[in-house]
Amino acid sequence: MKAGIEFFARMFTGDTKENKTGIVNFESEIVSPDVFDEILNFVYTEELELTEQNATKICVAANFFCYEKLFEKTQKYLISNLQIENVLDCLNLARKIWLSSLEENCLKFICDNFLFEIIKFEFIPYWSFEDLLKILENFKKRSEFEEMFQIIVE
């Protein structure tokens, strides 16, 4: 199948409802019509305009479709566009669909940008001990900040 979307190949072969009716329905929380249009455009043109508004939605849909090429493209976009305003959303997305690379980059971004106030007041109530250890590991690479981080964690 073009662009390697085996999801649809499997859907339209064999004894499936979609194969019998020729109709596919998706829950709009997973694949909205505008996201599906972007994906189809990418399938046929390999062009994609990722934005702050659509990148996470396309990433979720690409994961749902097991469309590796698009999934990697959106993940790279999210990593390269981390900002203070979106790092929490990206971290939540990374955990929701198991994106270890995005998760690591979010934690690194937090450490690199000294987001102590965000860590102190927003993250700690929601993070597990393992999360805090991951952040601490990033800080250990920057030994001069370890003591400061320990104070915040305590």
Side-chain angles (χ1 to χ4, degrees), residues 10-123:
R10 286 190 308 271
M11 188 177 283
F12 289 108
T13 56
D15 191 29
T16 65
K17 178 180 78 174
E18 292 81 9
N19 193 27
K20 290 176 183 175
T21 65
I23 297 172
V24 178
N25 290 310
F26 300 111
E27 295 197 26
S28 61
E29 301 87 47
I30 297 172
V31 184
S32 65
D34 58 321
V35 167
F36 192 71
D37 284 345
E38 289 290 336
I39 292 172
L40 282 180
N41 182 55
F42 185 74
V43 166
Y44 290 105
T45 66
E46 292 201 9
E47 294 177 10
L48 180 67
E49 185 176 336
L50 291 169
T51 66
E52 288 181 36
Q53 290 75 32
N54 72 7
T56 57
K57 294 175 186 176
I58 293 173
C59 188
V60 169
N63 181 58
F64 176 75
F65 291 133
C66 303
Y67 190 4
E68 192 66 31
K69 188 174 186 178
L70 183 58
F71 186 63
E72 289 298 320
K73 187 173 183 82
T74 55
Q75 196 175 180
K76 286 178 185 174
Y77 175 87
L78 292 169
I79 289 169
S80 66
N81 288 283
L82 285 174
Q83 302 171 16
I84 291 172
E85 297 80 17
N86 70 6
V87 70
L88 288 175
D89 291 334
C90 287
L91 184 62
N92 287 332
L93 173 67
R95 291 183 170 159
K96 180 179 177 182
I97 59 176
W98 301 287
L99 298 172
S100 60
S101 179
L102 180 58
E103 180 179 359
E104 289 171 20
N105 278 277
C106 288
L107 294 172
K108 183 180 180 315
F109 180 89
I110 291 165
C111 294
D112 289 348
N113 290 282
F114 311 107
L115 300 179
F116 296 122
E117 292 304 311
I118 291 176
I119 293 169
K120 187 175 177 182
F121 296 110
E122 291 186 35
F123 286 173

